[in-house]
Amino acid sequence: GINAEYMGGDPGRLAQVVVNILGNALKFTDRGEVNIQVKVINQDAKSESKPQLQFSIRDTGKGISVTSLSKLFQPFEQLDNTVSATHGTGLGLVISKQLVELMGGTLQAFSGGLNCGCEFRWTIPLNNVYRPSSSANSTNRGSNRFSPSALNPSSLSSNFPTVLVLDTIPKRKIALQEQLLFLGCTVYSQSIEESSFADIVFVHSSDLQVFTSIQQQHPRLVIITKLSSPIQSIPMGTIVITQPVKTADLKQILDPTYPNVLRQRRVPANLNPRFQDLNVLVVDDSELNRKLVVLHLRKRGFNNIWTAADGQQAVDIALEATPTFDLILMDCQMPIMDGFQATRRLRQEETYKTTPIFALTALAFNEDATECSDAGMTTHISKPINFDYLISSIIQHCVRNKK
């Protein structure tokens, strides 16, 4: 019933909720998968009532007992108090629930019990909807959901290439297929033999040994890899992109001029040669968050980066460091010693009395910013991190002071 391309909401708060809940799912899932789904729903498609955006994050992790579900959104509650030393306080769920309710939505948790995984589902009402007229763009690429009929070789597009997706994990494969279909591609997926029909072949790095022949057979190969899984040997002319696959990356690859774009890759405008001399400590109890921050800093030219998983580690590393750190990026809510305690401890040392310490926080309220300031933190950066804003803050507090 809903035919919408643009919907009014609060992307900042939504992104923060996704980061908080997705981080928990990844943290408590040792094996299996984490599945994210987003869809537009409406109780009565014939009415003019506001549509709603429904998010679902489902994992195959540790699960939640029936008795723990009722206490899950209480501050500092976890499904097992013994894991607080390694998995934090659980405050992210409380913040997520508050943010969802501020947007007029509801957040719920479901689980079949311990070791059965769990699902977090929330629904947000949308304020504005753009409904294209029925005469505009009758092909409606956005509604071209993945289906066997979409794989018909006779439906070749003159504007976008035909592609073959090779992946042994079905859900991951379908997700990429739907992205490509949305962009107007014709997508093959049945077998490697279809590579002769395809202009571009996408294959996941974990499946390269399964599809070994494709590397020699196809001239235009795109390998999808994880940040933590570098590829040892890359065939000549191969394009490599990292997960999660962004639509912007796909648009570049599908553009016929992509090889030229690749050779002339733009250097970020905020790359500063002074960054390479800064010693930076990144502190966060989430390994995923640490890797993400380090990745973005290295892209901007930072060479000297250390990491710590909690406040106590941060204090120990900082006090032993020679020379001392020029910048510390400090998560606030961590096990063992939180970021506030760690900052107060470092401020007692003469060498760190004026060192810029940025709070990296999912806390979104004015009183939280005040708490960061009271602890001695220089400024606070909200999660999910806007890295352009982070870089401008580093220039303001670090680079200019080192001139």
Side-chain angles (χ1 to χ4, degrees):
I2 301 297
N3 184 12
E5 290 188 1
Y6 301 97
M7 297 168 287
D10 189 330
R13 284 176 173 170
L14 277 175
Q16 192 167 334
V17 174
V18 171
V19 167
N20 288 349
I21 295 180
L22 180 59
N24 271 350
L26 294 171
K27 187 182 297 184
F28 289 103
T29 304
D30 297 326
R31 58 179 59 86
E33 65 183 25
V34 176
N35 186 36
I36 307 174
Q37 291 185 336
V38 184
K39 62 182 179 180
V40 178
I41 61 174
N42 194 329
Q43 293 180 345
D44 185 358
K46 295 181 179 179
S47 73
E48 291 300 318
S49 60
K50 290 182 179 180
Q52 296 180 316
L53 199 61
Q54 184 183 86
F55 291 77
S56 170
I57 296 181
R58 182 184 295 117
D59 65 61
T60 57
K62 295 182 178 181
I64 307 171
S65 68
V66 176
T67 54
S68 296
L69 274 175
S70 61
K71 301 184 295 181
L72 193 62
F73 295 107
Q74 296 177 15
F76 307 107
E77 286 289 343
Q78 291 189 317
L79 72 164
D80 183 349
N81 290 331
T82 62
V83 303
S84 62
T86 56
H87 289 310
T89 62
L91 191 57
L93 290 179
V94 180
I95 295 170
S96 297
K97 189 173 189 294
Q98 291 175 348
L99 290 175
V100 169
E101 291 174 350
L102 282 172
M103 290 183 282
T106 56
L107 173 62
Q108 298 174 290
F110 306 90
S111 178
L114 293 178
N115 301 317
C116 293
C118 62
E119 177 187 3
F120 285 86
R121 187 188 307 159
W122 66 100
T123 304
I124 305 294
L126 303 170
N127 297 321
N128 303 298
V129 177
Y130 168 67
R131 300 170 187 263
S133 63
S134 58
S135 60
N137 190 9
S138 60
T139 56
N140 192 4
R141 291 178 302 174
S143 64
N144 187 17
R145 303 285 288 178
F146 174 65
S147 65
S149 61
L151 304 178
N152 188 340
S154 64
S155 61
L156 299 180
S157 169
S158 58
N159 297 322
F160 289 87
T162 58
V163 298
L164 170 64
V165 178
L166 299 174
D167 197 324
T168 55
I169 298 181
K171 288 184 178 179
R172 190 171 65 190
K173 180 178 182 178
I174 291 173
L176 178 57
Q177 287 171 337
E178 292 199 339
Q179 280 182 280
L180 292 166
L181 284 166
F182 180 81
L183 292 172
C185 294
T186 297
V187 181
Y188 298 102
S189 68
Q190 301 304 316
S191 67
I192 195 171
E193 286 74 21
E194 289 178 326
S195 63
S196 59
F197 294 100
D199 300 310
I200 303 174
V201 174
F202 290 82
V203 60
H204 198 275
S205 59
S206 60
D207 296 324
L208 281 175
Q209 294 193 359
V210 179
F211 304 111
T212 52
S213 61
I214 196 65
Q215 298 185 51
Q216 290 79 36
Q217 291 177 2
H218 208 276
R220 198 166 181 195
L221 185 65
V222 178
I223 299 177
I224 303 167
T225 184
K226 299 178 182 177
L227 290 173
S228 58
S229 305
I231 304 171
Q232 301 300 322
S233 178
I234 302 176
M236 183 67 68
T238 297
I239 299 167
V240 178
I241 58 176
T242 57
Q243 289 180 300
V245 179
K246 298 179 180 179
T247 301
D249 292 336
L250 294 178
K251 285 181 177 179
Q252 273 198 318
I253 294 171
L254 299 174
D255 190 324
T257 65
Y258 179 74
N260 295 327
V261 174
L262 186 65
R263 286 195 294 269
Q264 302 169 11
R265 185 174 296 277
R266 180 173 60 87
V267 176
N270 52 13
L271 182 62
N272 191 309
R274 291 180 179 268
F275 290 165
Q276 62 186 358
D277 299 324
L278 294 178
N279 296 315
V280 183
L281 176 61
V282 177
V283 189
D284 200 304
D285 61 323
S286 166
E287 182 181 5
L288 179 67
N289 289 345
R290 293 196 302 272
K291 286 182 177 180
L292 184 64
V293 173
V294 170
L295 172 71
H296 279 274
L297 291 179
R298 292 205 184 282
K299 282 183 176 180
R300 266 94 172 167
F302 290 83
N303 292 329
N304 308 317
I305 307 173
W306 286 258
T307 63
D310 59 66
Q312 185 60 61
Q313 279 189 20
V315 171
D316 294 342
I317 293 172
L319 296 183
E320 294 176 3
T322 305
T324 57
F325 290 106
D326 301 297
L327 170 66
I328 299 175
L329 304 179
M330 183 80 74
D331 184 26
C332 292
Q333 302 297 330
M334 294 182 290
I336 303 177
M337 178 186 289
D338 65 30
F340 304 117
Q341 294 173 302
T343 300
R344 291 190 178 96
R345 174 67 184 86
L346 289 172
R347 291 305 190 204
Q348 296 173 7
E349 300 294 324
E350 190 65 33
T351 52
Y352 287 105
K353 281 191 178 298
T354 60
T355 300
I357 300 178
F358 293 3
L360 304 181
T361 174
L363 306 174
F365 306 100
N366 291 334
E367 56 267 28
D368 302 317
T370 301
E371 186 176 5
C372 293
S373 178
D374 291 344
M377 293 171 166
T378 309
T379 187
H380 73 282
I381 308 293
S382 297
K383 293 181 180 179
I385 298 172
N386 181 326
F387 285 97
D388 289 334
Y389 177 72
L390 173 61
I391 293 301
S392 67
S393 298
I394 292 174
I395 292 174
Q396 177 184 351
H397 294 282
C398 302
V399 175
R400 290 175 182 170
N401 292 340
K402 292 200 76 176
K403 287 183 178 180

